[in-house]
Amino acid sequence: MPPEAPPAVESTLHSVADAVRNGNLQTFWQQHQASILHLGKSLLLGLVILLMAWGFSALARKLILKGTRKFDAVDESVGKILSGVVRTIIWLFAALIILDLLGINTASILTVLGAAGLAVGLAMKDSLSNIAAGLMLLFLRPYKLGDYIDCGSVSGTIREIGLFTTTFTTPDGLFIAAPNSVLFGAPIKNYSRNPRRRADITVGIAYGDSLSQGMQVLLKLMQEHPLILQDPAPEVLVSELADSSVNLTLRFWTENKDYWEAYWSVKAQLKDALEGAGLNIPFPQRVVTLAK
């Protein structure tokens, strides 16, 4: 049940209405001057408290966001969530103070809100588990905004980390919102976390070609590529003696930001590099022997 207005305020409002109807405003002022001044003072103080709450909440948001940006170990989303919580607490205190000024019993309101909060908490236990998982993800930081991750059936670039969900953008432009409890309970593969990545590309040469020559050609290709790091040194390994070809694997390291550009660039140069050296990339072959 909502709290009732205090008797002094209620009677003052009724008296104002009666005085307006009867045209006895001067008499009303003389009889209820103290009550009107008290009500006006309470409303004025309430307005001042609202303005102070607005100023303090804006200042708190600014200070929290500025403070979290100074620490690389703290994700930007932590500042947004903390500022939102602090602003809510400030406005809640302001509302309780204003209600107390108007003579409303705030203790009963807090009791009702506490009981309602308990009931809502029991009914929303799954949502609360998402909040707990969201807080753990924000402080453990297995990923941050802008990282590309793969977690179970979900993969994409992190766009926002909230208390309930984390949102992604996939490479083909789709929007994904995943519950935090799902992400926290599964292994997370972060492709953007480390500064360097290794690429493996496999290509086959014919059995009749020189194996050492093929390895030298591919190694030279990687050594001359501007985006491939030379420390660790690139390698060419014999990965498989397949049915129709000897498969060679090119293994090289790049800066994380250059990974895909280097990967597709090397793949595009493989054919010309091997054929320019007189080597062949064989087609699958079958030898069929007919019995007489």
Side-chain angles (χ1 to χ4, degrees):
M1 294 292 293
E4 297 180 356
V9 176
E10 186 177 2
S11 62
T12 302
L13 294 177
H14 283 304
S15 300
V16 170
D18 294 338
V20 171
R21 283 197 299 268
N22 299 327
N24 298 326
L25 291 177
Q26 185 175 2
T27 304
F28 171 79
W29 170 257
Q30 293 174 353
Q31 295 177 351
H32 302 281
Q33 181 179 359
S35 299
I36 294 174
L37 291 176
H38 176 73
L39 178 61
K41 181 181 178 181
S42 299
L43 294 176
L44 182 60
L45 285 175
L47 179 60
V48 172
I49 292 172
L50 287 176
L51 293 175
M52 291 177 63
W54 177 80
F56 280 126
S57 63
L59 178 63
R61 182 177 186 275
K62 181 178 179 180
L63 292 176
I64 291 173
L65 293 178
K66 184 177 180 181
T68 52
R69 291 193 188 103
K70 292 182 178 180
F71 299 96
D72 295 334
V74 179
D75 195 271
E76 183 180 350
S77 300
V78 175
K80 293 181 180 179
I81 293 175
L82 287 178
S83 64
V85 172
V86 171
R87 292 177 66 189
T88 301
I89 294 174
I90 291 174
W91 281 108
L92 180 60
F93 272 110
L96 291 175
I97 293 172
I98 293 173
L99 291 175
D100 188 65
L101 286 175
L102 295 177
I104 298 175
N105 186 6
T106 55
S108 60
I109 296 178
L110 291 175
T111 302
V112 172
L113 289 177
L118 178 60
V120 171
L122 293 174
M124 300 179 62
K125 58 180 181 179
D126 292 337
S127 297
L128 293 177
S129 67
N130 285 327
I131 294 177
L135 293 175
M136 293 299 294
L137 290 171
L138 286 171
F139 285 101
L140 294 178
R141 301 189 73 219
Y143 52 76
K144 64 180 186 300
L145 296 181
D147 284 356
Y148 186 91
I149 71 167
D150 185 356
C151 184
S153 61
V154 180
S155 61
T157 302
I158 304 294
R159 292 306 177 200
E160 184 178 357
I161 306 172
L163 278 179
F164 294 93
T165 61
T166 297
T167 58
F168 301 79
T169 300
T170 62
D172 54 347
L174 298 180
F175 172 85
I176 297 178
N180 288 330
S181 58
V182 173
L183 299 178
F184 187 68
I188 298 173
K189 185 185 295 184
N190 192 332
Y191 291 91
S192 307
R193 186 66 171 265
N194 296 330
R196 297 178 177 182
R197 282 186 64 184
R198 192 190 76 190
D200 292 346
I201 300 176
T202 300
V203 63
I205 62 173
Y207 272 96
D209 293 336
S210 170
L211 180 59
S212 60
Q213 182 184 5
M215 297 177 71
Q216 291 174 1
V217 169
L218 297 177
L219 186 60
K220 181 180 179 182
L221 170 63
M222 292 186 291
Q223 290 173 342
E224 295 178 351
H225 198 286
L227 298 180
I228 294 178
L229 301 176
Q230 302 305 312
D231 184 19
E235 299 177 291
V236 179
L237 307 171
V238 179
S239 57
E240 184 182 10
L241 300 177
D243 294 338
S244 305
S245 62
V246 178
N247 292 338
L248 303 178
T249 296
L250 293 78
R251 178 171 292 177
F252 58 88
W253 290 81
T254 68
E255 297 292 340
N256 203 314
K257 60 184 178 62
D258 299 327
Y259 177 83
W260 286 112
E261 184 179 355
Y263 182 88
W264 297 120
S265 174
V266 169
K267 268 200 166 183
Q269 298 177 40
L270 284 177
K271 183 174 183 295
D272 290 340
L274 291 174
E275 292 180 349
L279 303 173
N280 299 297
I281 302 176
F283 296 100
Q285 300 177 17
R286 294 283 183 183
V287 177
V288 179
T289 303
L290 300 177
K292 294 183 181 180

